[in-house]
Amino acid sequence: MDPRSEVLLRQAELFGGPLLLAGLPADDLLGHLPAARGWSWHAGDQAALDARFGGRSQLGVGPPAVDFDAALLFLPKSRELTDYLLAALAARLPGRELFLVGEKRAGIERAAKQLATYGKPRKLDSARHCQLWQVRVDHAPAAPDLQALARRYTLPLADGPLTVLSLPGVFSHGRLDSGSALLLEHLDRLPPGHLLDFGCGAGVLGAVLKRRYPDSQVTLLDVDAFAVASSRLTLAANGLQAEVISGDGIAAAPTGLSAILSNPPFHQGVHTHYQATETLLREAAQHLQRGGQLRLVANSFLKYPPLIEQHLGPCRTLAEANGFRIYQASRS
Ligand SMILES: C[S@@+](CC[C@H](N)C(=O)[O-])C[C@H]1O[C@@H](n2cnc3c(N)ncnc32)[C@H](O)[C@@H]1O
């Protein structure tokens, strides 16, 4: 059980009514709170919750259209995302209770101050390195317009400007990451066919791919519903059409691909882990056609080449700059 869920269950008498659990972990919590519903923006957590509690949790970028008397937010990493989520929940709860739980190292004390916009926050519990806060929503805001919170920037690329829109909480919000910038310079000579932008974030690579290879089918994939929504905004802002899918890991990707391009994830939340990327390197071959390529950018210190060589084939370093490398390997 996630420690944040354990802290909630110490106060289970507060959570017996219709409660919306926003950003909930994929653990047993829904099983302990029969009147509660979930709202997740993580496709992997949502799939696990669906398998266990069929239909009691929904994936999306806004609170689901279900009735709830109170809501509890599991603190996300990004402050801007927290602002949006608290406002979206508070808008649905005038005169009712909004709770916030999070780990101390994830910044729960600072985040609890954000609750003061809506009423007088109270700390209810502190245990397992987590805190649980509550506020009665005395000042309910209007429902926030998520699209209006997107940050927009323009990249002056050789084939014309590209507009990128990113929603709160999305990787490299409002600016181009240096690793992605290096990969954008190395998108030439891809084999024709179906291209995948794995871990698409705001959709910058996928959009550039579609513009550069208009005859290729392009798919963008991300585990985060806010990234998926951002990618759709980015494609639309540039008049491009491509498939954007929510999914957890390479297993969710199509097969028969001619190339997989990625600035793959290498950390998540306050915990560091590489699992999604290691699985990508291990299983890319199953999603590539013969001669299909994997091309990715990674911090130079990450030891990906041995894994790539073990599971795909000889790994070439196409470029190296500013602490990043571009690796390329093909399926034989
Ligand atoms: C380093 S960012 C790159 C984003 C974007 N491609 C760019 O270049 O700006 C990695 C992305 O992978 C996504 N991600 C993390 N775990 C994932 C998983 N298991 N399956 C799919 N995408 C994942 C993250 O949400 C994030 O958007």
Side-chain angles (χ1 to χ4, degrees):
M1 182 79 94
D2 187 287
R4 298 166 301 170
S5 300
E6 288 178 351
V7 173
L8 289 199
L9 292 176
R10 282 159 56 99
Q11 313 288 332
E13 71 284 354
L14 293 176
F15 303 118
L19 170 76
L20 183 69
L21 297 166
L24 71 172
D27 64 8
D28 277 338
L29 188 57
L30 280 177
H32 290 265
L33 301 172
R37 310 284 300 244
W39 164 28
S40 177
W41 41 93
H42 184 283
D45 288 350
Q46 175 59 30
L49 291 165
D50 251 347
R52 216 119 135 226
F53 304 105
R56 284 185 56 203
S57 181
Q58 288 181 41
L59 183 74
V61 293
V66 295
D67 288 330
F68 49 91
D69 278 352
L72 186 144
L73 175 63
F74 287 80
L75 179 65
K77 193 172 121 194
S78 144
R79 184 173 185 156
E80 277 174 297
L81 182 58
T82 306
D83 273 339
Y84 162 71
L85 295 166
L86 288 175
L89 294 169
R92 297 273 298 269
L93 293 169
R96 289 176 287 164
E97 313 289 316
L98 175 57
F99 299 86
L100 178 67
V101 68
E103 291 185 79
K104 286 185 196 157
R105 63 180 169 171
I108 182 69
E109 301 224 7
R110 171 190 52 69
K113 296 199 179 95
Q114 292 170 256
L115 291 177
T117 316
Y118 307 111
K120 203 160 172 279
R122 275 198 312 142
K123 192 185 339 175
L124 299 183
D125 201 358
S126 180
R128 316 269 196 281
H129 307 291
C130 299
Q131 292 179 359
L132 172 63
W133 288 77
Q134 172 261 342
V135 71
R136 204 185 88 107
V137 180
D138 293 325
H139 314 291
D145 173 3
L146 179 59
Q147 214 159 307
L149 298 175
R151 280 201 206 155
R152 172 188 284 261
Y153 63 94
T154 301
L155 295 175
L157 301 178
D159 57 352
L162 186 93
T163 301
V164 183
L165 281 103
S166 67
L167 291 168
V170 171
F171 173 78
S172 200
H173 185 34
R175 61 174 184 90
L176 181 67
D177 170 70
S178 334
S180 306
L182 186 63
L183 187 51
L184 286 184
E185 290 169 17
H186 294 88
L187 293 178
D188 47 336
R189 291 194 301 280
L190 289 172
H194 189 171
L195 308 172
L196 173 71
D197 173 359
F198 176 81
C200 57
V204 57
L205 293 174
V208 169
L209 285 172
K210 187 64 200 177
R211 199 162 73 178
R212 201 85 172 257
Y213 298 89
D215 297 332
S216 288
Q217 184 181 352
V218 174
T219 298
L220 295 81
L221 165 70
D222 206 286
V223 75
D224 174 13
F226 289 93
V228 166
S230 304
S231 289
R232 293 200 171 114
L233 293 174
T234 295
L235 288 164
N238 295 283
L240 298 166
Q241 271 159 12
E243 176 188 41
V244 189
I245 50 183
S246 285
D248 186 4
I250 188 65
T255 51
L257 297 167
S258 59
I260 301 172
L261 289 303
S262 188
N263 178 355
F266 64 92
H267 60 75
Q268 200 173 24
V270 288
H271 307 281
T272 301
H273 59 104
Y274 304 87
Q275 207 189 324
T277 303
E278 288 187 8
T279 309
L280 166 70
L281 306 185
R282 253 185 267 115
E283 297 179 6
Q286 295 170 29
H287 294 265
L288 289 168
Q289 64 187 27
R290 275 186 197 288
Q293 272 185 25
L294 173 68
R295 206 179 282 184
L296 50 88
V297 61
N299 276 296
S300 304
F301 65 81
L302 294 169
K303 305 273 177 272
Y304 291 150
L307 258 184
I308 295 174
E309 303 217 317
Q310 189 184 346
H311 296 282
L312 193 59
C315 177
R316 281 178 59 205
T317 300
L318 291 187
E320 178 161 14
N322 306 323
F324 292 96
R325 285 188 192 144
I326 307 287
Y327 296 120
Q328 180 189 305
S330 300
R331 191 189 143 190
S332 50

